[in-house]
């Protein structure tokens, strides 16, 4: 993992305000960079969902011990898979490219709100390779999607990392 990606992931996890008694759902967990960060912060349970089977296999391989200890669950799937989970989460982190993310969120953000405890938070992280204006538009589109699904206290933060903009869109479950 590059130093830039490590800095970005650390910044994202800092924004989540993770505590040891929390359950965290990671949508788009990839090979597990954020999984490791959450577990290092001592969260109670992490469930990671990834749609790329190859990345999921790597995540399973890299994080064998937490899986065996029961602090980590990994699944193959997408936002639909998340809506099938039973227990509510304290934090939900969605990481995905901006193209299809807004459309998928429109469809599943109500279900995700139902999978988040009252007062729990969702954070959507995406990158935009173009200008600040395009990044702002992507962030606002996702923020308005969350508002339309009943999430409250939405905010958008942007950070430039080399040649791309990273958007962190947060909201709270009522």
């Amino acid at each position: 993992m590059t130093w830039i990606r490590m800095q970005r992931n650390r910044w994202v996890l800092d924004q989540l305000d993770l505590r040891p008694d929390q359950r965290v759902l990671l949508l788009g967990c990839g090979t597990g960079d954020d999984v490791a960060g959450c577990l290092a912060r001592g969260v109670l349970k992490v469930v990671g969902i990834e749609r790329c089977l190859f990345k999921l296999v790597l995540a399973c391989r890299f994080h064998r011990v937490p899986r065996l200890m029961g602090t980590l669950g990994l699944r193959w799937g997408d936002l639909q898979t998340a809506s099938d989970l039973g227990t509510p989460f304290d934090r939900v982190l969605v990481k995905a490219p901006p193209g299809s993310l807004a459309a998928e969120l429109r469809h599943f953000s109500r279900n995700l709100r139902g999978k988040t405890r009252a007062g729990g938070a969702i954070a959507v992280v995406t990158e935009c390779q173009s200008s600040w204006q395009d990044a702002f538009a992507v962030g606002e589109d996702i923020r308005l999607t969350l508002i339309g699904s009943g999430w409250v206290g939405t905010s958008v933060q942007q950070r430039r990392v080399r040649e791309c903009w990273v958007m962190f869109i947060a909201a709270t479950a009522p």
Side-chain angles (χ1 to χ4, degrees), residues 88-128:
F89 293 87
D90 300 293
R91 299 286 185 265
V92 176
L93 176 60
V94 181
K95 291 180 78 174
S100 63
L101 182 60
E104 284 187 65
L105 272 176
R106 276 189 204 98
H107 190 66
F108 294 111
S109 59
R110 287 190 200 282
N111 291 351
L112 289 176
R113 196 183 77 214
K115 297 297 173 196
T116 307
R117 291 192 176 134
I122 186 171
V124 180
V125 177
T126 189
E127 294 179 357
C128 187

Side-chain angles (χ1 to χ4, degrees), residues 148-159:
S149 299
W151 292 87
V152 298
T154 60
S155 66
V156 178
Q157 297 178 45
Q158 298 167 335
R159 185 175 188 179

Side-chain angles (χ1 to χ4, degrees), residues 128-144:
C128 187
Q129 298 289 337
S130 52
S131 68
W132 177 85
Q133 290 89 353
D134 290 341
F136 181 78
V138 168
E140 282 300 304
D141 187 29
I142 293 170
R143 186 181 76 82
L144 292 173

Side-chain angles (χ1 to χ4, degrees), residues 40-51:
R41 291 164 191 251
V43 298
L44 182 66
K45 174 86 175 179
V46 177
V47 174
I49 298 176
E50 175 56 50
R51 69 174 55 182

Side-chain angles (χ1 to χ4, degrees), residues 63-101:
H63 303 288
R64 248 182 259 153
V65 173
R67 284 186 31 245
L68 291 173
M69 292 175 57
T71 57
L72 173 62
L74 294 170
R75 291 182 177 209
W76 181 40
D78 54 12
L79 289 174
Q80 175 63 43
T81 306
S83 64
D84 296 338
L85 298 173
T87 309
F89 293 87
D90 300 293
R91 299 286 185 265
V92 176
L93 176 60
V94 181
K95 291 180 78 174
S100 63
L101 182 60

